[in-house]
Amino acid sequence: MLLGLVMLADVFSLGTGAQYYSLWSGFGEEGFHAVGLEEMERAERLYSLAGVLQTITFVMCGMVFILWFRQMRENAQLFAPDAHRRSPSWAVWGWIVPVVFLWLPRRITLDIGTASELPHDVPDAPRTPVTLVNAWWAVWISQAILSNLASRFYGAADDGGAIKQAVGLLMVSDVLDIAAGVLAVLVVCRITTMQQRRVSWTGTAHNSPDAAAGRPVT
């Protein structure tokens, strides 16, 4: 749900950004007689509001997502303690520590998926969505880098051309963020489903006649 709010904030930012970009284009071609100062100021306020909404929804979603991520990591520790290259605490710190956040959460996600898999002889058992995770991470990192650069350009812009360029980059960043949000939803659903099936299978296996008789369960 919160990922959906983040994407809605991105859509709002795209809309207000397109309007703001268009006004600066008109101003550059024909001056203030074509673009009223009041209209320009209103568009700028809306675009600033969009940025605030993006920040609020991002922080809220980020906190909940990290809590979910930490829980998935703890569950995976119970499933397969030896399948992990980092301790559970890195499921949180991996998003915060500089430089490390560029690659470690992806690695932890793949380890969680591997630990959550059912045995290969279980029919229709879902496998770690490596391609999906890689796509999500590539889009997310690209968006984060572009957003940071575009925000710096926007803050330093001192003429219409520079503002247009910065707003254009921010709009591309918004599109990437929406794509990353969609992919993140798919990753969350896939990992959660894998762990639910793992718990269900474990409970069924432990309650099977073989387990009750003390025989190994395959």
Side-chain angles (χ1 to χ4, degrees):
M1 180 178 177
L2 287 175
L3 282 168
L5 289 178
V6 171
M7 286 185 277
L8 283 176
D10 288 333
V11 171
F12 181 59
S13 179
L14 270 174
T16 57
Q19 181 186 21
Y20 194 38
Y21 185 94
S22 177
L23 288 174
W24 271 111
S25 297
F27 173 75
E29 295 169 0
E30 303 180 38
F32 274 115
H33 70 278
V35 179
L37 180 59
E38 183 178 346
E39 185 179 9
M40 181 70 80
E41 290 177 342
R42 182 169 61 250
E44 184 177 7
R45 286 195 299 270
L46 280 174
Y47 195 50
S48 297
L49 174 61
V52 172
L53 292 176
Q54 283 180 303
T55 300
I56 292 173
T57 55
F58 176 79
V59 171
M60 292 172 56
C61 180
M63 293 172 62
V64 174
F65 184 88
I66 290 175
L67 288 174
W68 169 83
F69 195 70
R70 167 72 188 223
Q71 185 60 60
M72 294 299 101
R73 175 61 181 82
E74 291 180 347
N75 294 347
Q77 182 73 20
L78 298 176
F79 298 149
D82 298 329
H84 308 279
R85 310 180 193 193
R86 296 291 185 273
S87 66
S89 62
W90 280 107
V92 175
W93 289 111
W95 296 95
I96 301 171
V97 177
V99 181
V100 168
F101 77 88
L102 292 172
W103 60 271
L104 189 57
R106 170 192 167 275
R107 180 68 265 168
I108 294 174
T109 302
L110 294 175
D111 288 347
I112 290 172
T114 299
S116 303
E117 289 181 355
L118 293 171
H120 287 276
D121 58 352
V122 176
D124 300 322
R127 298 300 165 200
T128 304
V130 177
T131 301
L132 176 60
V133 171
N134 287 339
W136 161 58
W137 197 248
V139 175
W140 162 249
I141 289 298
S142 299
Q143 180 277 330
I145 294 172
L146 180 59
S147 177
N148 183 270
L149 292 175
S151 296
R152 291 174 183 271
F153 290 157
Y154 184 73
D158 55 3
D159 59 62
I163 291 174
K164 280 177 55 181
Q165 183 180 19
V167 171
L169 290 174
L170 286 168
M171 291 172 65
V172 174
S173 171
D174 290 337
V175 172
L176 289 176
D177 200 41
I178 293 171
V182 172
L183 293 170
V185 169
L186 296 176
V187 170
V188 168
C189 292
R190 185 66 172 274
I191 296 296
T192 301
T193 298
M194 289 179 67
Q195 292 206 349
Q196 288 173 341
R197 288 198 61 181
R198 178 64 184 257
V199 170
S200 177
W201 174 84
T202 301
T204 301
H206 286 169
N207 292 324
S208 68
D210 285 339
R215 294 189 293 270
V217 179
T218 59

